[in-house]
Amino acid sequence: NAGVTQTPKFQVLKTGQSMTLQCAQDMNHEYMSWYRQDPGMGLRLIHYSVGAGITDQGEVPNGYNVSRSTTEDFPLRLLSAAPSQTSVYFCASSYEAREGYTFGSGTRLTVV
Amino acid sequence: AQKVTQAQTEISVVEKEDVTLDCVYETRDTTYYLFWYKQPPSGELVFLIRRNSFDEQNEISGRYSWNFQKSTSSFNFTITASQVVDSAVYFCALSIDSNDYKLSFGAGTTVTVRA
């Protein structure tokens, strides 16, 4: 049982490049979320999904896209990377959101 | 809207000292859930505890204890007899029924335990 798997673990992008952060879970969880972690700001919600085909914006959605075509996968796309998107990104999933979330190990992204 | 405040940015203690982390939350919902997560230097987020708004009982798990007080909107976390392995960033978080139970995090408190 792998839990929540994020790839890659580290990535360096040049300003303007695009990329997709992958997130997969094998626990049949309906709820999935993407957070970014920045120093002194805790974790902030980017996008979330309450099931396949359903996504919605969180607190800081600008510059990011998501889709949820399957229950297992919830990729996060950076459309045109900016230095302000340098951060650590966490994917999380939950069977019942009120029970709390299981987090992936994170992706450290640097945009130069 | 909901908000979580962790006023302590950093706490440094000597091993075996007790340390208390403060968490104050704001919400208008009557049904909500509070969480504590630990982020050790390796970077992963580890779930510690979940408490719902209808259960004000304090909880103890080994050296960890939690004090939930609705009257002051606080959910404080105490580590008794701290150890070097307790060094981590600790996050308090809140989710509410009316917001799809999305987690709102505090800024985190960095705990450093010195040998």
Side-chain angles (χ1 to χ4, degrees), chain A residues 35 37 45 48 98 100-101, chain B residues 37 39 50 100 102-103:
Chain A
Y35 290 85
Q37 182 181 9
L45 182 64
Y48 74 103
R98 71 185 71 188
Y101 281 77
Chain B
Y37 283 86
Q39 186 177 44
R50 164 189 172 273
D100 288 331
K102 293 176 288 188
L103 283 172

Side-chain angles (χ1 to χ4, degrees), chain B:
Chain B
Q2 66 261 39
K3 183 180 178 181
V4 177
T5 301
Q6 294 180 255
Q8 304 150 306
T9 304
E10 295 183 21
I11 300 175
S12 181
V13 297
V14 176
E15 209 169 18
K16 297 184 182 178
E17 288 185 345
D18 298 346
V19 56
T20 295
L21 310 181
D22 297 333
C23 173
V24 175
Y25 62 92
E26 297 175 28
T27 179
R28 293 181 180 176
D29 280 43
T30 56
T31 301
Y32 54 89
Y33 297 84
L34 295 161
F35 304 85
W36 277 96
Y37 283 86
K38 174 182 179 180
Q39 186 177 44
S42 52
E44 73 273 22
L45 284 158
V46 179
F47 167 83
L48 294 178
I49 191 171
R50 164 189 172 273
R51 172 67 73 226
N52 72 55
S53 54
F54 301 108
D55 182 3
E56 285 195 73
Q57 283 190 336
N58 292 329
E59 180 151 342
I60 298 174
S61 176
R63 295 183 297 103
Y64 293 171
S65 62
W66 291 269
N67 182 8
F68 177 31
Q69 290 193 333
K70 288 177 73 171
S71 60
T72 56
S73 298
S74 64
F75 187 43
N76 296 338
F77 171 33
T78 297
I79 303 172
T80 301
S82 60
Q83 300 176 2
V84 172
V85 293
D86 297 324
S87 296
V89 182
Y90 292 87
F91 292 99
C92 182
L94 167 72
S95 69
I96 61 176
D97 179 32
S98 61
N99 197 21
D100 288 331
Y101 296 107
K102 293 176 288 188
L103 283 172
S104 294
F105 284 84
T109 299
T110 300
V111 174
T112 302
V113 182
R114 308 185 308 276

